[in-house]
């Protein structure tokens, strides 16, 4: 009941609840299947797959015994692992923040956090069924920004998105990683990417986010925490604590809690699997709980039970939902605790400003973010190499080429060996161009 109350309207009956919630096992299976199974279509749209939609509902029983494959060093060099693909996907998800949302590079693309969250969710859903080797993430990321603007009824112009990619490419011209992964995308490519994106998410574009619930919870919890501190000041008489609420601006404190909670939720969306594992209700409560800690470590032993929540937050939960049974409250706390644990362990994904700060070839004397740049750079080169190898193999089989291009290749690769008699088929010899 708590999750349903906190969740956005009609979430339980949405396509997100029906098709895009997983457990760790089915989520891992999807990512592994996206890499190991090759697409069979001949056109770019036919190659797009969408099996991740509803995958947990169909395969929840088999996921318990799923054992991820173990690859040796040679095999890891010749193929892409699920961890490597996810690292690249999260990198491109971070770049969407420059294309649309509150921090977009163009004023005409500035929108609220909800439209940015929708774009990121659509983009990440797509790569649960598809590989970055078959579908280039930069093009899909820009298409996700455009599709999200239509889903959230805040449509943007395609020409603006194209201009934004051009500006970003120019900004990152000195970065090898930027040139490989943040290149200019044309209007034609955005439109083609949008068609592929819709196919890859099974045309299920509705996204529920925790932002509305966060606004309500941040307001209620802010008032509760102020009263909680007043009671402690009066009862404990601790001089180090603020004596009274009038020392603080209540409106400013509430705003700070709300903004901090939004940032936590945004990081969870970008850098973790939380949106695929939990509904918006627990995510919203966890985000407010984390923001209310102000950087403090979570308490781990409360009344003999392990809890990631501060005592005052646990008390707020019981005051806000007094009719709930204790085991229901502890079950909800457990969900929130899992979200807190995942969120605390997430690594910060680099942005374009950090990309510009490191131009050397070796990460000597660099911090963790700079080392991550070199990891991404090596991964980008690996993906480019694997993509070229796959395209060469497909070309030898005559696949993945438009009829016009294939016809041109055939004409270039054939020569007449002998003069042909009338009425006979000419003998031809293929020239190997590879």
């Amino acid at each position: 009941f708590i999750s349903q109350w906190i969740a956005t309207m009609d979430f339980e009956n949405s396509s997100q609840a029906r098709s895009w919630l997983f457990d760790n096992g089915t989520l891992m299976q999807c990512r592994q299947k996206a890499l190991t199974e090759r697409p069979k279509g001949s056109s770019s749209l036919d190659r797009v797959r969408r099996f991740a939609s509803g995958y947990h509902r169909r395969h929840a029983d088999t996921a318990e015994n799923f054992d991820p494959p173990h690859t040796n060093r040679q095999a890891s060099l010749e193929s892409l692992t699920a961890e490597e693909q996810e690292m690249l996907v999260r990198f491109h998800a971070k770049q969407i923040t420059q294309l649309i949302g509150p921090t977009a590079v163009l004023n005409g693309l500035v929108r609220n956090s909800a439209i940015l969250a929708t774009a990121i969710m659509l983009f990440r859903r797509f790569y649960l069924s598809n590989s970055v080797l078959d579908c280039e993430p930069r093009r899909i990321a820009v298409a996700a920004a455009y599709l999200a603007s239509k889903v959230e009824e805040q449509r943007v112009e395609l020409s603006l998105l194209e201009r934004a990619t051009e500006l970003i490419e120019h900004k990152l011209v000195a970065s090898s990683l930027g040139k490989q992964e943040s290149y200019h995308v044309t209007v034609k490519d955005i439109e083609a990417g949008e068609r592929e994106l819709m196919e890859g998410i099974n045309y299920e574009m509705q996204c529920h986010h925790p932002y509305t619930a966060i606004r309500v919870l941040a307001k209620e919890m802010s008032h509760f925490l102020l009263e909680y501190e007043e009671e402690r000041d009066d009862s404990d008489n601790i001089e180090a604590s603020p004596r009274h609420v009038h020392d603080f601006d209540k409106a400013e404190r509430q705003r700070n809690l709300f903004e901090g909670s939004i940032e936590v939720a945004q990081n969870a969306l970008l850098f973790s699997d939380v949106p695929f594992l939990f509904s918006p209700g627990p995510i919203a409560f966890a985000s407010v709980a984390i923001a209310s800690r102000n950087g403090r470590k979570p308490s781990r032993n409360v009344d003999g039970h392990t809890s990631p929540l501060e005592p005052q937050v646990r008390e707020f939960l019981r005051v806000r939902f007094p009719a709930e049974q204790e085991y229901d409250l502890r079950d909800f706390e457990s969900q929130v605790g899992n979200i807190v644990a995942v969120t605390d362990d997430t690594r910060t994904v680099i942005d374009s400003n950090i990309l510009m700060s490191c131009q050397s070839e070796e990460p000597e004397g660099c911090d963790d973010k700079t080392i991550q740049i070199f990891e991404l750079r090596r991964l980008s080169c690996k993906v480019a190499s694997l993509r070229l190898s796959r395209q060469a193999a497909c070309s030898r089989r005559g696949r993945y080429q438009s009829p016009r291009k294939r016809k041109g290749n055939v004409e270039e690769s054939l020569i007449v060996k002998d003069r042909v008699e009338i009425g006979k088929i000419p003998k031809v010899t293929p020239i190997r161009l590879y």
Side-chain angles (χ1 to χ4, degrees):
F1 172 79
I2 302 175
S3 298
Q4 294 177 2
W5 181 87
I6 299 177
T8 52
M9 184 180 299
D10 202 29
F11 171 77
E12 298 299 324
N13 297 322
S14 67
S15 60
Q16 181 173 335
R18 184 174 59 253
S19 302
W20 296 102
L21 284 181
F22 306 82
D23 58 24
N24 286 313
T26 51
L27 191 61
M28 191 181 302
Q29 279 186 341
C30 280
R31 287 174 174 155
Q32 195 62 44
K33 186 176 181 180
L35 291 172
T36 55
E37 293 189 6
R38 299 285 295 275
K40 300 178 180 179
S42 58
S43 67
S44 59
L45 191 59
D46 291 337
R47 295 200 308 270
V48 174
R49 293 167 294 172
R50 53 183 179 181
F51 60 81
S53 173
Y55 188 90
H56 176 73
R57 190 174 64 251
R58 300 191 303 269
H59 300 279
D61 296 337
T62 62
E64 296 180 359
N65 300 323
F66 176 71
D67 185 22
H70 301 282
T71 57
N72 55 36
R73 179 177 176 81
Q74 182 63 27
S76 64
L77 293 175
E78 297 175 353
S79 61
L80 201 65
T81 67
E83 292 77 12
E84 289 174 331
Q85 164 147 316
E86 187 60 18
M87 184 179 183
L88 199 59
V89 166
R90 293 182 185 183
F91 169 77
H92 281 279
K94 175 65 175 178
Q95 309 317 307
I96 296 177
T97 61
Q98 297 183 325
L99 298 173
I100 201 166
T103 59
V105 295
L106 293 178
N107 291 333
L109 298 175
V110 173
R111 297 292 188 274
N112 59 32
S113 298
I115 189 171
L116 172 62
T118 297
I120 294 172
M121 280 297 297
L122 296 178
F123 174 74
R124 295 190 65 189
R125 285 179 183 180
F126 180 85
Y127 283 102
L128 293 181
S129 299
N130 298 278
S131 168
V132 295
L133 300 179
D134 300 310
C135 306
E136 295 184 8
R138 179 59 171 173
R139 187 162 57 102
I140 300 299
V142 183
Y146 180 59
L147 181 59
S149 73
K150 295 194 286 187
V151 171
E152 299 293 338
E153 299 182 353
Q154 301 182 48
R155 186 167 179 172
V156 298
E157 295 295 330
L158 274 172
S159 58
L160 284 178
L161 281 172
E162 179 183 9
R163 175 60 178 161
T165 63
E166 190 175 8
L167 287 175
I168 294 171
E169 181 186 43
H170 179 73
K171 181 180 179 181
L172 301 178
V173 67
S175 169
S176 60
L177 180 58
K179 288 186 291 185
Q180 292 171 354
E181 299 296 338
S182 299
Y183 53 84
H184 171 226
V185 182
T186 65
V187 168
K188 183 177 179 180
D189 286 337
I190 297 173
E191 292 175 336
E194 184 188 21
R195 292 190 292 269
E196 295 176 20
L197 175 61
M198 289 190 293
E199 178 71 19
I201 61 176
N202 198 28
Y203 298 90
E204 294 170 328
M205 294 170 280
Q206 185 181 25
C207 295
H208 290 258
H209 307 298
Y211 301 128
T212 302
I214 285 175
R215 184 178 295 277
V216 176
L217 285 171
K219 181 179 179 180
E220 294 185 358
M221 190 177 292
S222 177
H223 290 309
F224 179 85
L225 294 178
L226 286 171
E227 295 175 358
Y228 183 88
E229 289 180 2
E230 276 189 319
E231 294 176 358
R232 286 190 58 188
D233 290 341
D234 294 338
S235 60
D236 298 340
N237 193 25
I238 300 177
E239 296 182 359
S241 301
R243 290 295 302 169
H244 293 290
V245 181
H246 67 261
D247 294 332
F248 296 90
D249 185 348
K250 293 183 179 180
E252 182 179 356
R253 185 164 181 174
Q254 178 182 326
R255 183 172 61 253
N256 291 339
L257 180 59
F258 171 72
E259 292 176 353
S261 303
I262 292 294
E263 183 179 357
V264 171
Q266 198 72 52
N267 288 337
L269 171 67
L270 279 169
F271 311 140
S272 75
D273 293 330
V274 163
F276 295 123
L277 301 174
F278 302 95
S279 62
I283 296 175
F285 197 94
S287 300
V288 177
I290 293 173
S292 68
R293 287 178 355 203
N294 293 323
R296 296 187 303 270
K297 293 287 185 181
S299 57
R300 291 297 179 183
N301 293 295
V302 181
D303 299 332
H305 299 283
T306 300
S307 174
L309 305 180
E310 295 281 308
Q312 60 269 31
V313 176
R314 297 180 71 248
E315 185 175 341
F316 166 77
L317 182 62
R318 284 156 177 78
V319 170
R320 183 62 184 81
F321 302 100
E324 292 300 306
Q325 298 293 330
E326 183 63 23
Y327 62 83
D328 290 330
L329 293 171
R330 288 182 177 173
D331 179 67
F332 185 78
E333 279 187 34
S334 177
Q335 293 185 54
V336 173
N338 291 332
I339 298 172
V340 171
V342 172
T343 304
D344 285 342
D345 291 338
T346 54
R347 296 177 63 187
T348 302
V349 175
I350 59 179
D351 57 23
S352 60
N353 293 325
I354 303 175
L355 275 178
M356 298 176 63
S357 66
C358 188
Q359 304 300 332
S360 60
E361 295 299 325
E362 295 297 333
E364 296 180 1
C366 299
D367 57 15
D368 291 341
K369 289 185 179 180
T370 308
I371 292 175
Q372 191 179 357
I373 292 177
F374 291 98
E375 293 177 0
L376 280 165
R377 184 180 297 171
R378 284 191 287 267
L379 177 57
S380 179
C381 293
K382 177 180 178 180
V383 169
S385 177
L386 291 173
R387 194 176 287 153
L388 286 174
S389 299
R390 178 171 294 191
Q391 290 174 355
C394 294
S395 297
R396 287 193 291 268
R397 294 194 300 266
R399 291 176 56 191
Y400 301 165
Q401 295 183 356
S402 64
R404 180 177 178 181
K405 184 175 181 181
R406 189 177 300 119
K407 179 180 178 181
N409 288 344
V410 170
E411 290 176 350
E412 293 175 2
S413 62
L414 298 180
I415 62 171
V416 178
K417 184 177 181 180
D418 298 311
R419 187 180 297 273
V420 185
E421 296 180 9
I422 298 177
K424 292 187 178 181
I425 300 176
K427 296 181 180 180
V428 295
T429 302
I431 296 177
R432 296 187 179 273
L433 300 178
Y434 46 86

